[in-house]
Structures are given as structure tokens and as C-alpha cells.
Amino acid sequence: MPELDLVPRMQARLHTMLGDIEALVRCESPSADLAAVARSAQLVAALGAKRLGAAPDKIVIDGRTHLRWRLGDGPARVLLLAHHDTVWPVGSLSTHPFAIDDGILRGPGCFDMKSGLVLALHAAAEQADGAAVTILVTGDEEIGSPSSRDLIQTEATDCVAALVLEASAPGGAVKTERKGVSLYRVAAAGRAAHAGLEPESGINATVELASQILAVTALADPALGTTVSPTLMSAGNTTNTIPDAGEFAVDVRVRDISEQDRVDAAIRALRPSLPGARLEITGGPNRPPLQASASEELLARAQAVAGMLGLPPLSGAAVGGGSDGNFTAGVGTPTLDGLGAVGDGAHADHEHVVIGELAGRAALVAALVASLADSDTPSPAINSRAAFGTGQP
Ligand SMILES: [Zn+2]
């Protein structure tokens, strides 16, 4: 049962939360800059230790720094998932300075997702003693989580729920459905020849790629939400030579795993169309889809909690982009994503956070964690209306 004074308690924390967000935004942390990410992790660890009274485990994998707090030992463990890397290169602060103006907070990574990370720390700090909460803060989400994927899956496996503090969808909606992502590189090898003297003795890699691009494009199924998009492409060396090599990239987005499998099998089954040409296909599924069914019960629970706390009605949204929530859902853990800051402009010049929403959001997360950590069944949200005594999901 959420404690009804959580909103004023989080209001009282707002000044501290803003200070924490400012400190994190001023510590730039692009995923590819391992030293910058390590510095940022040190700051997250220090802030978290202050708020939680406990130091995290520092987990370095392939040079990338992740942090984990395992708090409490209650029967139902809840995972709070955040990342501290951003897409903004070091130096972005000079063109996009940290600023607070007219109720709006700006700065690189403030919305995606340093504010959400701070919300997680403060929400966890409000839990009763013994509440079982794992906070995982990874350092490579923005490049597809190459080093943290296993860690995320392992931590999620033991949890009754994964709450992902990624930025919210427009209007503060939580993200209940994310498409799965697969990435491929299709390379063709042919044979070079002079385009004027003896083109017929060459094997044209550009022509080979052209037919493969059409074949790949035909794998899309708009009715099922499956998109298959050839993106980057290159071939050949000079304008008067039959190209002997070339390649293109393919971006695949799917709503369900059977579509991911279908497209994967079809791309791997591509065969050369020109006699003598060869194909090399690399890549594959990167993130499984986060299907609406993985979020359904948690969404109902969050809506009930929001009602109890007197917060505005909470809605859910389906989005195309993937996140680490795709991984937690992929191992079967109920997952609710987009619980982080309200604002707009992730990865964009107008990235910002609405300050007036921070306390309510922190209260929502804190109450959701409390209600889940209290329960001792894996699917507690079935009775969420009864449990919270409200008919207003
Ligand atoms: Zn993010």
C-alpha cells in the first residue's frame, strides 16, 4: 500500500534531486569514451552512497563501467534499471549548457536519462528497511548495451518486476511496448573490370547489392509492424570500374519475436543473384521486442498507484526505439519502461525536463516499488484494484 504522503516527501527532496541532476549532467559521459564513463560512474556511486547509505558494486566489463546496488532482503525483489551514459560527446556542455529556466531544465543527457537515474536513487531511498531493491546503472545503453546485456538479464531474472527509468513518452506516458531491433550488414563480392573495355568480364557488386536490397525490403510486413530498412550503403572505387565489392546495412524493427525470427531466417537465406557473385551476411537480433503483455499488469498497478497518490492519470504508449527494458522483458520479467522524467528531445538539441513533474514522478516510482516489494507473489497486479482499494486504474 503506497504511503500517501510520498508526494510531499518527494517535493521536500526536489532541491536535492535538482542538485544531483545538475552534478550528473555536468559530468559528461558519452558511451564510447570509457574514461568519461568511468568518471561519471564514480560520481553516480558517490551520489548514490549519499542517498542510499550504501556503496554500489562497481562492475567493469570490457572497460565499460556499470554500478549495482542490492538493497534489502525482502521476499519480492524489484529491479530499478537506469543508464548513465549519453549520446552527447565531451564538449557538448559548451553548446548545450546546463540551465534551469522557467521551470525547464536543460543539458546533455538530462532527459535521457540522468534525471531518471536520480529519480531511481531517491525513490529507492524512500523504501522501508528491508525492501528488496536492486538498482542497476549501466554505462553502454546508448550503443546497444554490448557489455551489460548479460548483467541486465541476470539481475532481472530474480526480480518480480523491472522498472526502467528511461525518459517518458510525450505527455509523461510510460512505455508499454517497444519494438525489437535487429541489425545486419550484407556484403557482396564480385570481380573488377574496366567499365569501357570489357565490362562483361566483371561481376558487378553494385548490381548484386541492388537486387539484394529489393529482396530485403520485401521482407517488411507493415500490417504486423515489421519494418526492414536498408540504410548505409557503399560500393566500388572509381566511376569507370565495374565494382568488385560493396555492402549495405539493414535496420529491422519488429513487434513480436516470431517476426524477428522470420526476418532473421530470410536474411540469412539470401543467395547471390549474379553468377559468380558472393554474399557475406553478418549481424542479427540486437534487442528482443518488449511486448505489451510484459507491461500490462504493471501498467494497471502504476495507474492505480498514480490515482492513490492524486497524480494525473497515467497512460501507456508504444514506441519504435529499443531500450534495456527489451532485455528484461526478454527473460520473462514483467517490465514497465519510460518511468523517468517528463520532458522531450532525447538525443536532440531541444532535450529538456519539466521540473514541476519530477516530484510526482519520483513519488510514483517510490510507491510502485513499495507495492511490489511488499508482495510475495510473482504476478501481484492481478488484484491491483482490490489491493489499493481504488476503482480508478
Ligand atoms: Zn536512454
Side-chain angles (χ1 to χ4, degrees):
M1 176 110 180
E3 292 173 61
L4 296 175
D5 62 346
L6 267 171
V7 175
R9 269 154 63 193
M10 287 303 182
Q11 282 290 357
R13 284 178 173 271
L14 183 58
H15 184 74
T16 312
M17 287 198 282
L18 287 173
D20 290 352
I21 295 168
E22 174 170 1
L24 287 174
V25 169
R26 288 189 187 281
C27 182
E28 295 176 300
S29 54
S31 320
D33 186 333
L34 302 185
V37 169
R39 277 196 300 277
S40 162
Q42 201 158 0
L43 177 61
V44 175
L47 289 177
K50 264 196 239 175
R51 306 300 159 231
L52 302 166
D57 303 315
K58 185 171 125 186
I59 302 161
V60 181
I61 305 169
D62 299 337
R64 308 183 187 282
T65 313
H66 318 295
L67 300 171
R68 176 185 63 206
W69 281 267
R70 278 211 194 111
L71 308 168
D73 54 4
R77 181 160 290 276
V78 179
L79 177 63
L80 290 175
L81 188 54
H83 66 83
H84 69 101
D85 60 314
T86 75
V87 296
W88 295 90
V90 169
S92 297
L93 274 171
S94 59
T95 50
H96 298 73
F98 177 87
I100 289 181
D101 184 26
D102 211 10
I104 299 295
L105 184 153
R106 293 176 205 278
C110 66
F111 183 53
D112 183 10
M113 61 168 285
K114 292 188 170 182
S115 294
L117 166 51
V118 169
L119 295 183
L121 296 176
H122 286 263
E126 286 288 344
Q127 300 305 310
D129 286 346
V133 179
T134 296
I135 307 170
L136 186 60
V137 185
T138 61
D140 62 358
E141 193 273 346
E142 295 291 3
I143 52 170
S145 312
S147 77
S148 60
R149 176 179 184 154
D150 289 351
L151 180 63
I152 293 163
Q153 290 173 328
T154 303
E155 292 300 329
T157 301
D158 292 335
C159 290
V160 294
L163 306 180
V164 187
L165 276 293
E166 284 284 3
S168 64
V174 291
K175 297 174 177 173
T176 52
E177 199 180 338
R178 281 185 184 270
K179 284 188 174 179
V181 184
S182 307
L183 300 168
Y184 299 89
R185 172 180 167 273
V186 178
R191 185 165 61 230
H194 193 293
L197 297 179
E198 44 166 13
E200 65 284 353
S201 75
I203 300 170
N204 194 321
T206 296
V207 173
E208 177 62 39
L209 290 176
S211 71
Q212 299 303 334
I213 285 171
L214 294 179
V216 160
T217 305
L219 297 173
D221 190 335
L224 294 176
T226 302
T227 60
V228 181
S229 308
T231 53
L232 291 175
M233 181 182 178
S234 67
N237 295 311
T238 68
T239 57
N240 59 354
T241 303
I242 301 298
D244 65 347
E247 63 181 64
F248 64 97
V250 189
D251 177 298
V252 180
R253 310 273 165 157
V254 295
R255 255 196 223 129
D256 67 72
I257 196 101
S258 64
E259 277 294 282
Q260 196 163 36
D261 292 343
R262 176 185 67 82
V263 173
D264 187 63
I267 289 185
R268 289 181 193 290
L270 292 173
R271 292 295 172 261
S273 63
L274 294 180
R278 282 171 290 122
L279 287 181
E280 185 194 54
I281 294 156
T282 50
N286 172 256
R287 286 178 164 122
L290 164 56
Q291 293 176 239
S293 56
S295 301
E296 232 165 21
E297 292 184 358
L298 285 173
L299 175 63
R301 182 180 279 263
Q303 288 170 328
V305 165
M308 284 284 289
L309 292 172
L311 297 171
L314 188 67
S315 58
V319 294
S323 91
D324 286 338
N326 294 60
F327 294 137
T328 60
V331 296
T333 303
T335 296
L336 193 58
D337 200 342
L339 281 161
V342 179
D344 199 4
H347 303 193
D349 285 336
H350 65 294
E351 177 166 17
H352 67 270
V353 166
V354 179
I355 293 172
E357 302 278 356
L358 283 170
R361 210 70 178 176
L364 172 68
V365 176
L368 195 51
V369 172
S371 79
L372 289 160
D374 253 0
S375 57
D376 48 10
T377 58
S379 300
I382 290 166
N383 296 316
S384 62
R385 289 192 192 193
F388 298 114
T390 169
Q392 185 194 342

